[in-house]
Amino acid sequence: MAKCYINGIGAVSFQNENEAPETFLPITQNLNLANQPSYKELIAPNMIRRMAKGVKMGIYASQMALNEAEIEIPDAIITGTGLGCIEDSEKFLKSIIENDEEFLTPTSFIQSTHNTVGAQIALRLQCKGYNFTYVNGSSSFEMALLDAVMQIQNSEEQNILVGGIDEISQHTMDVLKIAGIVASEKYPNAAKYSEGATFLSLSNLQSKNTYAEVVDVDLCNKVLDIKMWIFDFLKKNNLDIHQINAVILGLNSDQNNQEFQQQILSVFTTQTILHYKHLVGQYDTVSAYGLKVAASYIKTQTTSPNFIYKNGDNKIENVLVINQNLGKDYTIVLLKNAEI
């Protein structure tokens, strides 16, 4: 079975990703828009105006990942998204109501489909290979990652671009506020939401830019015994708890997630614990950013104090990225130092 390596990473988030993580400030607002980079070097100005925000973020992050991996055209593009290009979806639904279901232009509908980001990236790169989008709530990115890892490990493809993208839209966020999912005056302890895009360039070959090896991915809609779930995953990969050096958790502000977080922390008592949602917010595919933090930590063997929740083991060999939201969509990813 071939190994799967992360050779390039690109991201757009609430923070300025061109700055050092040490300069990142925690989010304070209930809704936090992404820090938009300059797109004019990648996208023609007349196209930028018509593109959805998620598409622009996806194009930028994917190109940064490909540049770092020194890949021009990947063999496949696999994306995950929770809400897709939700702004265009809202525009289309609004036009249906305002025009009494008559005289509708298809543009917003065409641009609102969940696979728009992957399709636009493929059109721009002229990538004619496998192109698939997973839409499965908070595990959307891990579904895409699992697909990519399986294809590489089974020698079906050599280089795969995989990413997670989600954007904020006002009406949907207002509905989520009413439901108590997004923080508001009525629900101050709910999650602070954001948006972003994170892409990884995966390959069956190591390069001088390799971050880490993706060993395994596991997903479960509902977990009754978190400790047993983790131990079973480690056993499947011939590891015990003491061989895990660090764990990356979201640790968002939603009180509904506190019990899960405490159970995880009670399992990993000596390991380094990193977190990231206090810096980039909550959205369905934000765990892709967590994977970015984990991969960078393995590659450099250090990280910004902004990401450290608890210090532990020094040498970083095996790292777990664990995520869930609101008691469902549990995911776990095992990364390994590629130099070992």
Side-chain angles (χ1 to χ4, degrees):
M1 182 180 291
K3 293 185 177 182
C4 177
Y5 300 102
I6 301 173
N7 288 343
I9 302 177
V12 176
S13 74
F14 169 74
Q15 305 291 345
N16 184 347
E17 292 296 326
N18 293 320
E19 300 290 337
E22 287 76 15
T23 65
F24 292 179
L25 297 176
I27 59 175
T28 57
Q29 303 298 316
N30 294 335
L31 292 179
N32 304 272
L33 299 177
N35 188 317
Q36 300 293 320
S38 173
Y39 297 116
K40 62 183 181 180
E41 293 81 10
L42 300 177
I43 310 170
N46 63 324
M47 296 179 65
I48 291 177
R49 292 191 296 271
R50 297 195 299 269
M51 277 187 175
K53 184 166 45 176
V55 174
K56 290 185 285 189
M57 293 191 297
I59 287 176
Y60 183 89
S62 62
Q63 189 60 57
M64 295 305 102
L66 291 173
N67 287 348
E68 192 170 32
E70 299 180 351
I71 298 293
E72 291 187 8
I73 302 176
D75 299 318
I77 298 172
I78 310 175
T79 57
T81 182
L83 296 173
C85 298
I86 191 65
E87 279 192 324
D88 279 309
S89 296
E90 289 184 2
K91 288 178 184 177
F92 182 69
L93 293 173
K94 185 178 180 181
S95 68
I96 290 177
I97 296 170
E98 292 178 346
N99 293 284
D100 197 24
E101 302 182 17
E102 297 179 345
F103 312 115
L104 300 176
T105 59
T107 306
S108 292
F109 173 74
I110 293 169
Q111 294 177 342
S112 71
T113 55
H114 288 73
N115 63 346
T116 299
V117 179
Q120 289 292 332
I121 293 172
L123 284 170
R124 178 178 173 272
L125 297 174
Q126 288 298 292
C127 175
K128 300 175 183 178
Y130 179 87
N131 194 308
F132 204 88
T133 297
Y134 287 89
V135 185
N136 196 37
S138 296
S139 61
S140 299
F141 168 71
E142 284 81 0
M143 294 287 289
L145 180 64
L146 178 60
D147 187 351
V149 170
M150 290 175 64
Q151 289 199 47
I152 288 178
Q153 289 181 340
N154 292 320
S155 301
E156 295 177 26
E157 304 289 0
Q158 286 189 319
N159 296 291
I160 297 180
L161 184 65
V162 60
I165 319 98
D166 274 296
E167 64 182 31
I168 280 179
S169 63
Q170 190 59 54
H171 180 74
T172 300
M173 291 300 114
D174 289 342
V175 172
L176 293 179
K177 283 181 180 179
I178 295 171
I181 295 173
V182 174
S184 63
E185 290 184 6
K186 185 177 181 180
Y187 299 102
N189 293 323
K192 293 178 172 61
Y193 260 64
S194 186
E195 59 186 0
T198 304
F199 272 79
L200 313 174
S201 180
L202 305 181
S203 177
N204 62 343
L205 299 174
Q206 277 187 266
S207 75
K208 65 179 184 297
N209 296 319
T210 294
Y211 283 82
E213 177 191 348
V214 183
V215 180
D216 197 8
V217 182
D218 189 52
L219 306 96
C220 189
N221 180 254
K222 191 75 175 179
V223 174
L224 298 178
D225 189 328
I226 292 174
K227 185 175 181 180
M228 186 59 64
W229 172 58
I230 293 172
F231 277 45
D232 286 346
F233 177 80
L234 294 178
K235 183 179 179 180
K236 183 176 71 170
N237 288 283
N238 299 313
L239 294 171
D240 62 47
I241 195 75
H242 303 293
Q243 291 174 283
I244 301 300
N245 309 108
V247 180
I248 285 72
L249 303 173
L251 298 179
N252 71 16
S253 58
D254 194 322
Q255 292 300 305
N256 294 315
N257 291 322
Q258 296 307 307
E259 182 180 350
F260 163 78
Q261 292 166 185
Q262 291 306 315
Q263 289 188 56
I264 292 292
L265 293 174
S266 70
V267 173
F268 298 101
T269 56
T270 62
Q271 287 80 5
T272 296
I273 305 294
L274 304 185
H275 60 150
Y276 54 92
K277 290 182 182 178
H278 66 299
L279 298 174
V280 297
Q282 172 69 46
Y283 54 93
D284 284 331
T285 53
V286 70
S287 53
Y289 194 90
L291 204 68
K292 169 186 179 295
V293 173
S296 298
Y297 189 34
I298 293 174
K299 181 178 181 178
T300 63
Q301 293 290 296
T302 186
T303 190
S304 165
N306 276 336
F307 292 122
I308 298 176
Y309 182 81
K310 179 178 75 72
N311 273 312
D313 294 336
N314 293 321
K315 188 171 179 57
I316 307 303
E317 298 179 4
N318 299 300
V319 174
L320 295 180
V321 182
I322 304 176
N323 188 55
Q324 67 86 46
N325 193 36
L326 303 176
K328 60 182 181 180
D329 297 333
Y330 290 77
T331 63
I332 185 168
V333 181
L334 171 61
L335 299 184
K336 180 180 179 182
N337 190 333
E339 300 301 322
I340 296 173

